[in-house]
Amino acid sequence: KQEVTQIPAALSVPEGENLVLNCSFTDSAIYNLQWFRQDPGKGLTSLLLIQSSQREQTSGRLNASLDKSSGRSTLYIAASQPGDSATYLCAADQGGSEKLVFGKGTKLTVNP
Amino acid sequence: AAGVIQSPRHLIKEKRETATLKCYPIPRHDTVYWYQQGPGQDPQFLISFYEKMQSDKGSIPDRFSAQQFSDYHSELNMSSLELGDSALYFCASSLGLGEQFFGPGTRLTVL
């Protein structure tokens, strides 16, 4: 059974700082790992998808890496902005199934 | 670009009533997923459909049922509603095992 853990649960940083969010998963037989952003009471916005054959993906100021063997992924946010404040969720599928198993998220606050 | 459409966006029901949530996937996507997110919780997988056939099932109560229709839209039917069913219900769609795109969600409140 896939289990996803995110550390830290909350993070507060000053504007402009680079930061790293961590995600670990127990079942390394994944097809995909996705990072999402969720604003309070809102939907899930997909940020990056990393397929099992890939080691990293980049989109603008975001870079996500994947190490299947160690069951870890990181989301790197460069030059953080107050608009980046949200909860960031990591989700991995479960080997043999396309359903996503989510971590409990990291609540990020970027202070002006 | 077209996104996943969910309706209604908000729904208020009494205990023991029935609710039907609808999901319209991104055009040409062949897989639909339903997730439930309780207050302060992470989303939990309920059920999925691939090409109109149920493909996987998670922790979905027996009071809930779902189907995918010939036009690929999906409906989640929830009966005998309980207070604990109050949550955000997300539909997502994908093309095969690709990236899952989520709809805005339906917020269900059971009084």
Side-chain angles (χ1 to χ4, degrees), chain A residues 31-32 34 36 38 41-49 51 89 93 96-105, chain B residues 31 33 35 37 41-45 48 50 55-58 88 90 96-105 107:
Chain A
Y31 291 125
N32 298 318
Q34 276 185 256
F36 294 88
Q38 186 172 33
K42 302 295 185 182
L44 297 164
T45 300
S46 179
L47 298 173
L48 288 165
L49 166 76
Q51 296 177 323
L89 292 158
D93 57 38
S97 166
E98 69 274 19
K99 70 180 183 186
L100 289 176
V101 177
F102 286 81
K104 297 199 178 300
Chain B
T31 308
Y33 314 80
Y35 293 84
Q37 186 177 30
Q41 303 296 314
D42 51 290
Q44 297 290 318
F45 171 77
S48 62
Y50 170 71
S55 56
D56 202 353
K57 196 172 182 180
L88 261 174
F90 290 109
L97 292 173
E99 187 172 1
Q100 292 188 26
F101 294 89
F102 281 67
R107 181 173 296 281

Side-chain angles (χ1 to χ4, degrees), chain B residues 13-78:
Chain B
K13 291 286 185 178
E14 300 278 342
K15 278 190 338 183
R16 293 179 287 278
E17 285 192 321
T18 297
T20 297
L21 309 185
K22 296 185 179 183
C23 169
Y24 297 85
I26 292 172
R28 293 184 295 281
H29 278 194
D30 52 18
T31 308
V32 167
Y33 314 80
W34 287 96
Y35 293 84
Q36 176 193 57
Q37 186 177 30
Q41 303 296 314
D42 51 290
Q44 297 290 318
F45 171 77
L46 292 178
I47 196 167
S48 62
F49 294 87
Y50 170 71
E51 286 290 346
K52 294 157 279 185
M53 298 288 290
Q54 181 181 309
S55 56
D56 202 353
K57 196 172 182 180
S59 49
I60 182 170
D62 292 340
R63 300 177 289 106
F64 294 7
S65 65
Q67 58 181 321
Q68 187 178 27
F69 294 85
S70 58
D71 63 352
Y72 290 89
H73 95 273
S74 178
E75 295 184 3
L76 177 65
N77 296 292
M78 310 158 69

Side-chain angles (χ1 to χ4, degrees), chain A residues 51-68:
Chain A
Q51 296 177 323
S52 60
S53 59
Q54 299 171 324
R55 293 193 62 85
E56 67 177 301
Q57 282 285 357
T58 298
S59 176
R61 293 183 295 109
L62 306 178
N63 176 276
S65 67
L66 173 65
D67 185 341
K68 274 186 61 177

Side-chain angles (χ1 to χ4, degrees), chain A:
Chain A
K1 178 187 172 187
Q2 182 71 279
E3 294 182 4
V4 178
T5 303
Q6 290 187 247
I7 295 173
L11 182 63
S12 181
V13 301
E15 182 176 3
E17 196 160 291
N18 302 325
L19 56 102
V20 175
L21 308 182
N22 296 292
C23 170
S24 61
F25 49 94
T26 55
D27 183 354
S28 62
I30 61 171
Y31 291 125
N32 298 318
L33 185 139
Q34 276 185 256
W35 282 92
F36 294 88
R37 168 187 172 136
Q38 186 172 33
D39 293 286
K42 302 295 185 182
L44 297 164
T45 300
S46 179
L47 298 173
L48 288 165
L49 166 76
I50 310 179
Q51 296 177 323
S52 60
S53 59
Q54 299 171 324
R55 293 193 62 85
E56 67 177 301
Q57 282 285 357
T58 298
S59 176
R61 293 183 295 109
L62 306 178
N63 176 276
S65 67
L66 173 65
D67 185 341
K68 274 186 61 177
S69 61
S70 67
R72 293 182 182 180
S73 177
T74 61
L75 179 67
Y76 175 82
I77 302 177
S80 58
Q81 303 171 357
D84 294 332
S85 298
T87 295
Y88 290 80
L89 292 158
C90 168
D93 57 38
Q94 186 162 300
S97 166
E98 69 274 19
K99 70 180 183 186
L100 289 176
V101 177
F102 286 81
K104 297 199 178 300
T106 294
K107 184 175 181 180
L108 173 65
T109 303
V110 181
N111 302 299

